[in-house]
Amino acid sequence: MKTTLATTPTGQNVRLVEIQAEEKLARRLTALGITPGVELTILQNAGSALVLAVRGSRIALGRPIANDLLVERLWFVVGNLSPIAFCWR
Amino acid sequence: MPMDTMTIALAGNPNAGKTSLFNALTGFRQHVGNWPGKTVEKKSGQVRVNGRTLELIDLPGTYNLTPFSPEEVITRSYLLAERPDAVICVLDAANLERNLYLTVQILEMGQPVIIALNMMDAAQARGLQIDTQMLSARLGVPVIPTVASRAQGTDGLLQAVNRVAMGQAFALDYGRDLETEITRLCQIMAQYPAIGQLYPARWLALKLLEQDQELQTALLTVPGGPALLTYAQLSIHQLSQMAGDDMDVLIANRRYTWIHALVQEVVTPTRPHNVSLSDRLDRLVLHRRWGIPIFLALMWVVFKITAESSAPLVDWIDGVINGPVARWGLAGLTAVNLQETWLASLFVDGLIAGVGGVLVFIPVLVFLYLALAALEDSGYMARAAFVMDRWMSRLGLHGKSFLPMLVGFGCSVPAIYATRTLENEKDRILTGLLVPFMSCGARLPVYALFAAIFFPQQAGLVIFGLYLLGIVTAVLLGILLKHTLFQGQEQSGLVMELPPYRLPSLRGLWFHTWVQVRAFLHHAATLILLASLVIWFLKAIPAQGNGEFADTAVPDSLFATVSQTLTPALELLGFGSWQASGALLTGLVAKEVVITTLAQTYAIPDDTTAEATPTFLEDVLWIGQSFVQAIIDTLKTLPGTLGINLFGEESEPEPTGLMAAIQQEFTQTSGGHAAAGLAFMVFILIYTPCIVTISAEKQELGTRWMWFSIGGQLLLAWLLAWLVFQVGRFLLA
C-alpha cells in the first residue's frame, strides 16, 4: 500500500518508494540518506513536522516535505520501539 | 617528500565534531574570517609538527557537494582549486553510514584523505565495534580513531599526515549501467587535456550525470567542454530510459547502497539495538503537548541567567572602568600635564563613556553565549527548532528560523550572524529582517528608566508589554512580507538532523563562548570607538554662543544643532526636543548610549565628586575585592533562575535628578502626557538597534537589505510611536 510519509503514524516502519520533490530538495534528502528503497521508522508524527530514524540518524522533516515522499508500509514488529512509545502518543 | 608547510583541510558533516577537532588541533591559535565573497565563516590555524608547519583550514560542515548551498560550493571549489596537501575527513563513528556519504565523494575527487573516526566514545557506548583496519583497507586511506571533545587521537592524526598518499585511485562500483556511461565519458575527457587539468575525470563524469548546473556552465568555456556536455546528455538519455529515476537520486542511491554494504562489513553491533536514551528523551522533549512547556521553561532559565546572574559582574566592570581605570587614565594625562586640556575630556566623555559603556555588557554576552552553547552542544537547539516549527511556519518560515530570533533577545548581532545556518536565502533574509524586533538586552535599561519615570506603578507590566509588542510586530511584519516582497517564493520546509543528546564539555562551552566574545569585542570596539569619538567631537565643537572647542555648553554645541534638525520629525510623537532626538541619534551607536547621552545633555552631576581619591594600591585592592563580591552575588542569583528567591530583592538606587529632568522635558514637549514616554520607549524598541547590528546586516544580508531594514525600522518606529502617542493622549488623559 503506497501512502505519503505525512500520513504515516508514529511507530510505523516504511520503505521509501519515491521522492516527488523538486531537484534541490531531493538532493538534500538523498544526501541525508533518504533514498528510494531505504527503510525508515517514524519516531514522531504530530504537529507541523515529523521525526524519522534513517540509516542511524534522526531527521526532522516538515510536513509539506513529508507529503512529497511516497512510502509503503512494512508490517512487522520492530525492536526499535517499545510499548512506551505508544503510551507517549 | 619533505615540505616546510602543508595545507590541510578539515571536512565533514555538521554535528560530526569537526569544530571540536579543529579547536583541539589548533587551540587558541586560530584566525576567523570569511570565505571570499561569502558570509560563511572561514577558520584557519597553524600547528607545528616535526619541524613542519601545518596550515589547517576548517571547511564548512556539509552533507553533500551539490552547487545549491554556499557551504557546499565553498567546500567543493576549495578542494578543486586549492588542492590541499591532505583532507582530514571528520566522521561520527556512531553514525558511519551517513557520514561516509560525503567522505566517499571527497575520495572520488582524488583528494589525499585521512579519516578521523571521531566520537569513538559514543560509538563504544552504543555497543558498536568498528574495524578501523578494514575500513582503512577498503577505502585505501589512513583511519585514525579520535575523541575530539577530550583531544584524544589528535597526535596520531597529525602524524598520519606523513602517510597520506597522493592521488590514490578510489572507485566504488555504481552498477553496470552507470559504469558503462562513466567509462564512456572518461574516455571522451581523455581527448581533452584542458578538462583533465581542471577536474578529476571520474568525479566530473558523475557530476555531469547528476546534471550539476554549476559544472555545466563552467565547462562551456573549457576547450572540449561543449562536446563533453553533449555526450553527457546522451548518456543521461540512455540511462533514464533504462533506470527511469532522476539521475541524481539514482546515483545517490547507488552510492548509499555501496556504503551500506561497507558499513555492514566494518561495524559489528556487540549488543542488540535498543531504543537509545536519546530517543527516549526525544519522546518527551518533542512531545506535542509537553514540547512547548519544556521549551519555555528552558528559555526562562536562559533569560534569568543572562539577565540576573550577569548583573553583579556588569556593575563590577562598570565600577572598574568608571572608577580606577578612569582615574588612572586621568592620572596618566596629569603626569604629562594634559589634565585640563580637551584630551582629558575626550578620554572621560568620549572613550570611557562610549567604549566603556559597551565593555560593561561583556558579562551579559558571556552568560548568554554560555547558555546558548550549552543548548547547542547538548543537542537541544535542534529540538527547539522542531518544537517551534509549528509557529514559524505561519510566518512562511520554518523551525530553524526560530533559533536566531531566540538569540536576538540577548543581542541582535550574533542573532543576525546565526541566520547563516538557514539553507534558503529567502529564509535568511526574512529572518534577518525580523530579528531586530526581538528586544535585545541593551534596550532593557532604557525601558527601565522611562517606565520608572512615567509609569512607576506598572513598570514591570509596561516593560513586558514592550517585549510582547516587539514579537507581535515581527509576527505581523513577517506575515506582511510573506504576502508581498517574498510572495510566490517557495516555502522551504524543515529538513534538519537531530543529533544525539550529548553532555557538553566545559572545554567546548568555554571555547565557543570565548570565540564569540572575542569576535564581538573586535567588531564592537572598532566601531564603537569611532562612533564615540565622533559624538564627542560633535559635542565639543561650539555651534553658537561663545564657548570654545571642548569647553562649550552642550546646548550650544554642534551636537545640539544637529539634533535640533531632527526635532520637527519627532514633535508629533510627543518628544520634540533636541535632547530626545540627540539621545535617539546616539542610540544608533548602541542603545545603552541613550541613557549616557541624556545624562550628559541634562548635565546631571555625578555623585562621585565628594569621595576622596583612593591610591593606586587601594584601587587594585578594591578591584579584587569587588570582583570576588560580584562572583558571590552571581552565584547567589543562580537559585533564583530556577524560580527560588533565597536572598530577597535588592533595589537599585534611582538616578532621581535625571528622572526629574527627563520628566520635565517630556511634559513640556508633549503637553503633559505620559503617553510621550511610552511613545519614546516604543521608538527605542522598533528603530535600528545599533551600528554593530547594521554592519552585521550588511555582512549577512547585503547592502540593499541593510538599507531596507534601516528604512523600514525608522518608518515603523515613527508610525507606531505616533500611534501610541496620539491614541495614548486620549486614553491616558
Side-chain angles (χ1 to χ4, degrees):
Chain A
M1 186 178 78
K2 279 190 204 175
T3 49
T4 70
L5 193 63
T7 58
T8 312
T10 302
Q12 178 74 49
N13 268 37
V14 294
R15 187 192 309 283
L16 184 62
V17 178
E18 196 186 340
I19 300 174
Q20 294 184 321
E22 42 91 27
E23 188 196 359
K24 189 174 163 180
L25 180 57
R27 287 200 191 182
R28 277 177 68 201
L29 294 174
T30 52
L32 288 167
I34 305 174
T35 56
V38 77
E39 280 182 30
L40 317 163
T41 307
I42 316 293
L43 296 181
Q44 183 115 348
N45 187 356
S48 65
L50 301 82
V51 183
L52 322 170
V54 55
R55 297 187 197 270
S57 331
R58 304 289 176 268
I59 310 285
L61 280 189
R63 189 160 293 281
I65 295 173
N67 268 321
D68 292 342
L69 300 180
L70 278 191
V71 294
E72 59 182 4
R73 295 190 183 180
L74 300 171
W75 298 105
F76 52 81
V77 182
V78 198
N80 204 10
L81 284 162
S82 65
I84 303 168
F86 297 94
C87 299
W88 275 118
R89 278 197 289 145
Chain B
M1 64 205 136
M3 283 178 285
D4 287 341
T5 55
M6 280 179 89
T7 309
I8 295 165
L10 261 79
N13 285 177
N15 305 317
K18 193 169 57 65
T19 305
S20 307
L21 187 63
F22 181 77
N23 291 343
L25 288 171
T26 60
F28 287 84
R29 300 172 301 275
Q30 49 178 272
H31 173 77
V32 183
N34 271 15
W35 292 91
K38 306 275 183 189
T39 59
V40 180
E41 203 170 69
K42 177 183 183 176
K43 284 195 286 187
S44 56
Q46 289 186 340
V47 202
R48 280 194 72 80
V49 180
N50 303 341
R52 199 155 55 170
T53 306
L54 306 183
E55 172 86 15
L56 291 162
I57 311 280
D58 191 20
L59 294 170
T62 61
Y63 295 108
N64 205 352
L65 293 176
T66 60
F68 291 124
S69 85
E71 285 83 5
E72 295 179 26
V73 172
I74 286 168
T75 304
R76 177 163 119 172
S77 44
Y78 177 84
L79 293 176
L80 279 178
E82 306 293 325
R83 308 218 173 172
D85 299 309
V87 180
I88 296 178
C89 284
V90 188
L91 275 71
D92 176 358
N95 190 354
L96 208 50
E97 189 163 334
R98 220 273 320 291
N99 278 254
L100 275 169
Y101 188 77
L102 178 73
T103 308
V104 160
Q105 292 191 66
I106 293 174
L107 282 167
E108 281 174 336
M109 290 174 91
Q111 299 286 339
V113 166
I114 301 163
I115 287 180
L117 205 53
N118 197 25
M119 302 191 185
M120 281 302 276
D121 51 343
Q124 269 153 16
R126 295 251 300 263
L128 300 174
Q129 206 171 61
I130 302 173
D131 187 343
T132 51
Q133 279 173 353
M134 167 98 81
L135 186 65
S136 170
R138 292 294 308 272
L139 296 175
V141 297
V143 175
I144 315 294
T146 58
V147 182
S149 55
R150 282 187 261 133
Q152 284 174 13
T154 48
D155 289 340
L157 197 59
L158 292 174
Q159 296 298 332
V161 167
N162 298 318
R163 288 189 279 135
V164 68
M166 294 295 284
Q168 70 268 60
F170 171 84
L172 67 86
D173 185 4
Y174 278 93
R176 242 181 73 190
D177 46 355
L178 275 169
E179 288 295 339
T180 314
E181 300 305 324
I182 293 168
T183 314
R184 183 181 2 204
L185 288 176
C186 286
Q187 279 164 358
I188 293 156
M189 272 179 248
Q191 299 168 22
Y192 302 103
I195 299 175
Q197 273 169 8
L198 287 171
Y199 307 104
R202 194 176 157 86
W203 180 79
L204 182 61
L206 278 163
K207 283 289 157 193
L208 288 177
L209 292 178
E210 281 178 5
Q211 293 175 287
D212 188 300
Q213 279 138 9
E214 198 183 80
L215 284 169
Q216 285 174 342
T217 317
L219 274 179
L220 286 175
T221 53
V222 180
L228 182 62
L229 285 174
T230 318
Y231 281 107
Q233 281 310 315
L234 262 166
S235 295
I236 290 164
H237 184 69
Q238 286 256 312
L239 283 167
S240 59
Q241 276 187 335
M242 287 188 294
D245 255 322
D246 287 334
M247 228 23 68
D248 49 307
V249 175
L250 181 72
I251 290 172
N253 206 346
R254 297 276 168 88
R255 203 177 273 144
Y256 258 119
T257 309
W258 187 88
I259 293 168
H260 184 74
L262 173 67
V263 170
Q264 297 294 316
E265 252 184 290
V266 169
V267 182
T268 324
T270 53
R271 56 169 184 263
H273 184 71
N274 278 323
V275 183
S276 66
L277 182 64
S278 195
D279 282 338
R280 250 178 273 175
L281 255 175
D282 268 345
R283 268 179 219 149
L284 181 63
V285 169
L286 303 180
H287 191 269
R288 65 181 165 181
R289 269 195 298 275
W290 300 115
I292 287 182
I294 290 170
F295 166 76
L296 291 176
L298 280 170
M299 289 312 106
W300 177 247
V301 172
V302 168
F303 288 133
K304 291 278 268 190
I305 287 179
T306 307
E308 288 180 10
S309 302
S310 60
L313 289 165
V314 167
D315 291 343
W316 176 71
I317 294 190
D318 191 28
V320 170
I321 290 174
N322 285 313
V325 173
R327 275 197 297 274
W328 295 342
L330 277 179
L333 287 170
T334 311
V336 287
N337 254 337
L338 289 169
Q339 68 275 31
E340 293 299 321
T341 63
W342 61 271
L343 269 171
S345 163
L346 176 69
F347 177 73
V348 174
D349 303 327
L351 277 178
I352 296 283
V355 180
V358 175
L359 291 181
V360 158
F361 276 79
I362 293 173
V364 181
L365 289 172
V366 168
F367 277 92
L368 180 71
Y369 288 133
L370 269 177
L372 291 175
L375 289 180
E376 174 78 49
D377 289 2
S378 65
Y380 183 76
M381 273 296 202
R383 272 76 182 181
F386 179 90
V387 169
M388 292 309 291
D389 186 66
R390 200 187 322 170
W391 294 1
M392 297 309 287
S393 56
R394 302 202 179 136
L395 305 185
L397 293 169
H398 59 72
K400 266 184 166 177
S401 295
F402 182 72
L403 303 181
M405 307 243 177
L406 198 63
V407 178
F409 284 110
C411 177
S412 303
V413 176
I416 301 247
Y417 285 125
T419 59
R420 58 171 77 136
T421 55
L422 306 168
E423 293 87 10
N424 189 313
E425 196 188 2
K426 176 209 111 181
D427 293 352
R428 275 199 292 271
I429 289 170
L430 187 51
T431 310
L433 290 177
L434 299 184
V435 154
F437 297 109
M438 305 297 121
S439 191
C440 69
R443 282 172 249 189
L444 186 59
V446 187
Y447 303 155
L449 180 66
F450 275 77
I453 296 172
F454 293 100
F455 307 95
Q457 304 304 317
Q458 302 98 13
L461 196 67
V462 167
I463 293 174
F464 181 74
L466 284 165
Y467 273 86
L468 211 61
L469 180 68
I471 298 170
V472 170
T473 307
V475 169
L476 294 178
L477 199 66
I479 294 172
L480 182 75
L481 287 172
K482 177 188 166 187
H483 292 291
T484 51
L485 278 180
F486 296 95
Q487 198 182 22
Q489 296 217 21
E490 42 156 343
Q491 173 162 2
S492 71
L494 182 72
V495 179
M496 184 179 56
E497 190 190 358
L498 300 176
Y501 290 100
R502 292 185 192 108
L503 200 63
S505 71
L506 279 178
R507 191 192 157 94
L509 289 185
W510 175 240
F511 211 98
H512 278 167
T513 308
W514 186 80
V515 167
Q516 300 261 38
V517 169
R518 186 181 64 169
F520 175 82
L521 277 181
H522 175 78
H523 212 106
T526 44
L527 267 169
I528 300 273
L529 182 65
L530 193 70
S532 311
L533 295 183
V534 168
I535 292 170
W536 182 85
F537 272 103
L538 285 176
K539 278 188 190 149
I541 298 167
Q544 54 190 2
N546 45 11
E548 285 175 23
F549 178 70
D551 186 26
T552 181
V554 183
D556 293 336
S557 71
L558 188 58
F559 178 72
T561 314
V562 170
S563 303
Q564 187 67 44
T565 58
L566 298 173
T567 309
L570 302 177
E571 260 160 24
L572 280 174
L573 312 183
F575 43 87
S577 66
W578 70 262
Q579 289 94 333
S581 51
L584 290 175
L585 191 66
T586 55
L588 286 173
V589 177
K591 282 292 156 288
E592 51 271 35
V593 179
V594 168
I595 296 177
T596 317
T597 310
L598 286 169
Q600 283 179 5
T601 47
Y602 289 116
I604 304 302
D606 278 346
D607 43 341
T608 52
T609 44
E611 289 170 30
T613 314
T615 64
F616 180 76
L617 196 67
E618 280 169 349
D619 269 340
V620 174
L621 267 175
W622 177 82
I623 291 176
Q625 281 168 354
S626 55
F627 179 70
V628 173
Q629 187 57 44
I631 294 286
I632 292 170
D633 287 346
T634 292
L635 292 176
K636 274 188 190 171
T637 64
L638 286 177
T641 57
L642 304 173
I644 309 158
N645 195 347
L646 294 177
F647 303 98
E649 289 290 316
E650 276 181 57
S651 59
E652 290 280 311
E654 310 281 6
T656 42
L658 176 61
M659 286 169 69
I662 292 174
Q663 185 159 31
Q664 197 189 359
E665 185 69 48
F666 271 61
T667 309
Q668 238 172 48
T669 53
S670 66
H673 293 287
L678 193 60
F680 188 81
M681 285 189 270
V682 169
F683 201 93
I684 291 279
L685 166 71
I686 304 289
Y687 92 115
T688 317
C690 64
I691 204 163
V692 192
T693 306
I694 293 175
S695 92
E697 281 178 334
K698 181 175 154 67
Q699 214 178 345
E700 295 296 300
L701 314 177
T703 312
R704 209 164 56 94
W705 286 111
M706 176 195 82
W707 286 114
F708 177 82
S709 180
I710 296 173
Q713 284 159 357
L714 282 175
L715 186 70
L716 205 61
W718 195 90
L719 284 175
L720 276 176
W722 177 79
L723 199 70
V724 164
F725 180 59
Q726 299 300 336
V727 173
R729 244 184 351 171
F730 289 102
L731 293 183
L732 296 173

